[in-house]
Amino acid sequence: MDEGGTPLLPDSLVYQIFLSLGPADVLAAGLVCRQWQAVSRDEFLWREQFYRYYQVARDVPRHPAATSWYEEFRRLYDTVPCVEVQTLREHTDQVLHLSFSHSGYQFASCSKDCTVKIWNNDLTISLLHSADMRPYNWSYTQFSQFNQDDSLLLASGVFLGPHNSSSGEIAVISLDTFALLSRVRNKPYDVFGCWLTDTSLISGNLHRIGDITSCSVLWLNNAFQDVESENVNVVKRLFKIQNLNASTIRTVMVADCSRFDSPDLLLDAGAPDNAPGRVFDLGSDGEEEEASPGPAGAKGLRRLLDGLLEGRAQPQLSERMLETKVAELLAQGRTKPPEPSTADARNKLLIFTTGCLTYSPHQIGIKQILPHQMTTAGPVLGEGRGSDAFFDALDHVIDVHGHIIGMGLSPDNRYLYVNSRAWPSGSVVADPMQPPPIAEEIDLLVFDLKTMREVKRALRAHRAYTPNDECFFIFLDVSRDFVASGAEDRHGYIWDRHYNICLAKLRHQDVVNSVVFSPQEQELLLTASDDATIKAWRSPRAVRVHQARRPRPRPFFSWFASQRR
């Protein structure tokens, strides 16, 4: 400025100069004088800084809840949990899974050391309880989930047994006394199990029918099984589903439909009308008709079978293909059609991985659970079904054309995020026991459970290296604004849900198996790894607040200038 206080440079020229600077330099220059301070907060300047720094596509609009481009830039930089604040080393083997209580006050961890550990989530995390499951003949613990009121913990594990054993068990632990309340058989073990209500949980069982044909039964179990009366049901069959080509139902979870109408983030907001996304609502009048032989096909197959039995025909199909065709034929007329879809907000969706071509999970099945099915009271063991309705039909099927290695729901339960390793384009499964090779890149797909459409393009950055016959689950988690996942490349990853950009890589010394956000504070993330550690990560903003001697946090621009990424 000159001696009279008049700026020597017009705002337009200062603005052009600031456009050539990085965000930290713009913030520093804004401290020089009032004119530069005003220009350094210009909305158009920070819009340019935002798209350039985060490399967001220019056609992606600003987050609908954002108040300014500067504040949006600050949100993505300052509130992502990317600063390691604590490492927990109490486990002695690979840590496989993490889960938070709904209150955020506690979390649980499962490990190859066969313990379930429950932790206090304070400013400094501390171990509250450790349950050793080896006395129950468990090999290791693999999954846990708190019920809605945080009074009970579901813990899932794998039985000791032969290498190819698929049996597991679910245990229910009281969070008041840490007593073991009940145990439920679970097969295959990677059904994991989940809560349906505060006092009832879903488990699985598998019945072999042929070499590559089976049926999965999903059971509703009472968490408290010490009832005095023989007339009180503690278990009820929910669904019985046919499996073809060595596939099985795995990884069950429940979405609450009552929360769909108040989403925490509309992922398709602002999407052009001519790009509606892939529809995967197949239902009973789409995929079911295509998957099952029609009347003419059924008659032809019956004639073939009659000819084979009478020795008049030679089989044109392999034994496995013939078994699949026969299983499809037998299921005709013996499958209960889906319940009519209703708008009842009390309904819930049962979601699980499955398949129709091979044993590797490449489809997601969705089955509606109606209010009267959410209790163990009433008919048991399928008494309510007709004598001809042996199986239950799926309501919807999602085919991801790849090996599914992880699933997670958004906090509002409306969006389903799926970790998948893609099959080669155009690949054909000729033998159900030899699935196609899978990509090292992991695609993080997003599906809207209300509209039954795929939304957003796939998120990418994380990788996995194991072949499909050794592939294991990598758990992901979703918060209001972010989605995080583990990976086999020794890192956890965080993306922004609106902009579809990777914001942080979180380093471990081995495979990262599980990640979880605090449900009450998305600026806290936990990661679990094969290196036997759990790491806690907080955002730069949270770190400043916790380290400050006074409540007032350190200004954002000074942190940004000293902590450039």
Side-chain angles (χ1 to χ4, degrees), residues 354-363 399-404 420-432 434-441 443 460 467-469 471:
T354 181
C356 65
L357 301 175
T358 178
Y359 68 83
S360 68
H362 56 279
Q363 291 181 325
D399 197 320
V400 302
H401 197 74
H403 193 123
I404 299 167
S420 171
R421 295 175 62 184
W423 292 341
S425 178
S427 60
V428 177
V429 181
D431 184 341
Q434 295 182 352
I438 51 179
E440 290 187 354
E441 296 80 11
D443 293 333
R460 288 179 177 166
N468 47 31
D469 59 342
C471 213

Side-chain angles (χ1 to χ4, degrees), residues 74-364:
R74 176 175 176 169
R75 178 183 72 84
L76 293 191
Y77 194 93
D78 210 26
T79 65
V80 178
C82 59
V83 181
E84 182 182 340
V85 294
Q86 191 174 354
T87 301
L88 308 174
R89 305 183 186 276
E90 280 78 353
H91 281 291
T92 58
D93 207 335
Q94 302 170 358
V95 188
L96 302 181
H97 184 257
L98 298 166
S99 65
F100 256 109
S101 65
H102 295 85
S103 67
Y105 294 147
Q106 296 176 345
F107 67 89
S109 58
C110 296
S111 168
K112 282 286 184 74
D113 66 13
C114 206
T115 64
V116 180
K117 297 188 187 298
I118 301 169
W119 308 77
N120 264 332
N121 178 35
D122 209 337
L123 188 57
T124 298
I125 296 169
S126 59
L127 181 63
L128 182 61
H129 177 76
S130 181
D132 186 357
M133 302 305 292
R134 281 171 290 196
Y136 305 101
N137 206 36
W138 285 27
S139 176
Y140 58 89
T141 60
Q142 59 173 352
F143 176 83
S144 66
Q145 186 182 41
F146 290 78
N147 69 343
Q148 191 62 40
D149 67 7
D150 293 336
S151 62
L152 302 173
L153 180 70
L154 176 156
S156 173
V158 180
F159 269 140
L160 284 169
H163 178 68
N164 61 351
S165 173
S166 62
S167 292
E169 195 171 63
I170 296 171
V172 177
I173 300 172
S174 167
L175 292 172
D176 292 328
T177 63
F178 301 116
L180 184 63
L181 300 179
S182 60
R183 292 159 55 202
V184 176
R185 190 63 62 94
N186 192 40
K187 183 177 182 179
Y189 59 80
D190 48 5
V191 168
F192 293 126
C194 65
W195 292 104
L196 179 61
T197 69
D198 268 341
T199 58
S200 59
L201 58 100
I202 296 173
S203 65
N205 201 358
L206 183 66
H207 301 280
R208 296 289 179 186
I209 298 176
D211 184 30
I212 58 171
T213 309
S214 64
C215 72
S216 290
V217 182
L218 296 174
W219 295 90
L220 185 62
N221 308 268
N222 195 326
F224 304 95
Q225 301 202 357
D226 54 346
V227 294
E228 297 178 358
S229 171
E230 294 181 356
N231 298 321
V232 177
N233 298 335
V234 295
V235 62
K236 183 175 73 173
R237 188 169 73 190
L238 269 179
F239 305 115
K240 189 172 185 179
I241 298 168
Q242 185 187 48
N243 301 316
L244 301 175
N245 290 318
S247 65
T248 61
I249 286 178
R250 310 172 184 177
T251 321
V252 297
M253 60 178 57
V254 172
D256 186 351
C257 301
S258 67
R259 302 162 69 179
F260 286 2
D261 290 329
S262 55
D264 49 37
L265 181 65
L266 282 172
L267 294 185
D268 53 355
D273 294 336
N274 59 354
R278 181 174 47 152
V279 179
F280 63 85
D281 182 2
L282 301 180
S284 59
D285 57 350
E287 181 72 9
E288 292 295 330
E289 290 183 359
E290 294 176 6
S292 302
K299 290 179 180 178
L301 186 54
R302 287 184 187 277
R303 287 196 296 269
L304 173 63
L305 293 176
D306 291 341
L308 290 174
L309 292 174
E310 297 173 8
R312 292 183 287 101
Q314 295 297 319
Q316 302 296 313
L317 304 172
S318 67
E319 287 187 10
R320 287 172 175 168
M321 293 177 66
L322 186 60
E323 179 182 325
T324 298
K325 294 295 184 182
V326 170
E328 290 176 337
L329 177 63
L330 293 177
Q332 273 196 341
R334 296 177 176 84
T335 300
K336 182 180 178 181
E339 297 281 353
S341 181
T342 69
D344 193 334
R346 297 174 298 167
N347 293 354
K348 295 184 179 181
L349 297 179
L350 180 65
I351 302 167
F352 46 84
T353 63
T354 181
C356 65
L357 301 175
T358 178
Y359 68 83
S360 68
H362 56 279
Q363 291 181 325
I364 298 168

